[in-house]
Amino acid sequence: MQLTLDLTGRHVLVVGRPDRARHAVAAVRADGAVVESRPADDAARHLRALLAGAGPRLLHLVVWVEGPGEARVAIAASAAALEVPLATAPATDPSPHGHVTLVGGGPGAPELLTVAGRAALAAADVVLHDRLGPGDRVAELAPGAELVDVGKTPGHHAVPQREIEALLVEHAVRGRRVVRLKGGDSFVFGRGGEEVAACRRAGVPVTVVPGVTSAIAVPEEAGIPVTHREVSRAFTVLSGHVPFSDDELRHLVGLGGTIVVLMGVANLPQTAAGLRRHGMSVDMPMAVLESGFTDRSRRTVTTVGEVDALIGTFRSPAVIVIGEVVRVADAGLDEVADLVAFAAPRPVGSEGSRAGARAGAAASRAGAAASAADARVTA
């Protein structure tokens, strides 16, 4: 249905059974219309009554969705007599069998929701959504669907996970198209695997639509690449809502590369202290990226040694990035070249040797610049 009318405050009659007309109702309501929905026979009688002068003729548009052919003829004739436009909208197809689709909503920006995710939401009868991702736009993305907020906040799970799984199955068994909308990707600390397993145990068809994970997207928004040639060739993504063990911290320090921690603000003091205890340099860069892709986003760049002074100033949700790649965000080309030289693999040695490597790289760059300047002068 494509209309050029401004429907703000206009009265619209949508013709069709409620289950078949719900998307059309949602669409014109989203355009600001005052909407009334009636089955075809009832709508035909209503229009005849308006023609007979029963009640005010407060009607600006009739939208036909579905009904018997003779009712459509009668409605078209009445609409023409009332000088009210008649438009046609597709019916909402009933689903013969229930189905669950897990949709990764991405890091929050609606434009980062995938095409497949949008299509699943547009066709949904029920949406169980979290607080992260495009949760504040779900009514627009899933017009006419029943919306169920099952979002969690740190330390507070209003709807337990097992109850969420039971709701998915319950709605699907009733023949509904169910979307489980999550922030980021359903399989990156989203408990999507558990929900898929619950659906399969109940014999409910289930599909997974991948999402853009905040573990990569939020650092990208801040200009931080989680890998960078000759600086970091690996990145490790961890859930930080439970403190890391000494074995995990020791492994992270030894592995090198980039460390990305989700849900780690509350345990950041223990994380930083543990990394230092197991040998990570106090000068290792760290970025805390709060509320990515929102108008509340904030980037704080510090180090593993200095972050303690900032504890208490960070708020969830946040992505924590630890590694030399943090320096890349604000570095010029020459500075990145120095960083590559500094971060290049070397025999195990003192910090002094690494500092010397950095100084040597800077000196080489300065020498090259001087030679270039001399060449320009002599030319």
Side-chain angles (χ1 to χ4, degrees):
M1 178 177 63
Q2 294 184 338
L3 298 171
T4 58
L5 297 174
D6 180 4
L7 296 181
T8 305
R10 302 296 184 95
H11 289 252
V12 177
L13 173 64
V14 178
V15 181
R17 298 196 315 271
D19 61 329
R20 300 274 282 162
R22 64 180 182 83
H23 279 169
V25 168
V28 292
R29 184 171 287 145
D31 287 339
V34 179
V35 187
E36 182 179 9
S37 177
R38 294 173 180 255
D41 291 338
D42 188 17
R45 287 191 294 270
H46 176 65
L47 291 175
R48 286 197 298 269
L50 290 182
L51 277 171
R57 293 189 181 185
L58 199 58
L59 185 63
H60 300 99
L61 175 68
V62 176
V63 178
W64 171 270
V65 175
E66 60 90 38
E70 59 271 20
R72 181 183 175 92
V73 172
I75 287 170
S78 296
L82 290 166
E83 298 183 342
V84 173
L86 175 66
T88 301
T92 302
D93 293 329
S95 176
H97 304 290
H99 185 276
V100 172
T101 304
L102 273 61
V103 173
E111 59 270 22
L112 294 182
L113 176 64
T114 65
V115 172
R118 285 180 174 270
L121 284 164
D125 299 308
V126 183
V127 179
L128 279 68
H129 61 94
D130 287 348
R131 70 184 182 98
L132 301 179
D136 57 346
R137 301 284 294 277
V138 67
E140 172 190 335
L141 295 165
E146 178 184 347
L147 308 181
V148 183
D149 185 351
V150 295
K152 304 177 178 70
T153 57
H156 179 64
H157 295 184
V159 183
Q161 180 63 28
R162 294 298 170 254
E163 188 173 333
I164 293 173
E165 294 164 14
L167 286 170
L168 293 174
V169 171
E170 175 188 335
H171 284 295
V173 167
R174 292 167 60 187
R176 295 180 170 184
R177 288 167 290 202
V178 186
V179 167
R180 177 70 174 100
L181 178 63
K182 302 168 177 287
D185 181 88
S186 300
F187 281 9
V188 180
F189 308 129
R191 305 189 74 167
E194 298 170 47
E195 293 169 356
V196 168
C199 291
R200 287 175 176 165
R201 283 195 302 270
V204 171
V206 58
T207 303
V208 179
V209 176
V212 178
T213 175
S214 60
I216 298 173
V218 170
E220 281 184 10
E221 182 192 28
I224 300 171
V226 293
T227 63
H228 191 86
R229 189 169 63 90
E230 297 183 6
V231 174
S232 174
R233 65 176 186 173
F235 65 97
T236 305
V237 181
L238 305 102
S239 168
H241 79 284
V242 174
F244 298 120
S245 68
D246 274 345
D247 284 344
E248 289 170 326
L249 292 163
R250 187 181 303 108
H251 175 73
L252 288 172
V253 173
L255 184 63
T258 305
I259 300 170
V260 180
V261 183
L262 307 183
M263 302 175 287
V265 169
N267 291 310
L268 183 53
Q270 297 94 318
T271 300
L275 292 173
R276 294 193 300 264
R277 186 170 65 252
H278 289 284
M280 181 171 284
S281 169
V282 294
D283 295 327
M284 181 64 73
M286 171 188 291
V288 181
L289 312 172
E290 302 168 63
S291 299
F293 293 97
T294 73
D295 55 6
R296 304 179 305 280
S297 66
R298 186 173 74 131
R299 183 186 77 159
T300 303
V301 175
T302 181
T303 65
V304 168
E306 296 175 342
V307 70
D308 289 354
L310 301 173
I311 297 302
T313 67
F314 305 125
R315 297 289 179 267
S316 296
V319 176
I320 300 166
V321 185
I322 304 167
E324 293 289 350
V325 291
V326 172
R327 302 185 198 274
V328 174
D330 299 315
L333 291 177
D334 291 336
E335 292 169 302
V336 171
D338 288 353
L339 178 59
V340 169
F342 172 73
R346 299 176 181 282
V348 176
S350 67
E351 283 296 315
S353 65
R354 299 200 77 187
R358 174 175 281 171
S364 297
R365 179 166 57 83
S371 298
D374 290 343
R376 284 195 297 273
V377 171
T378 56

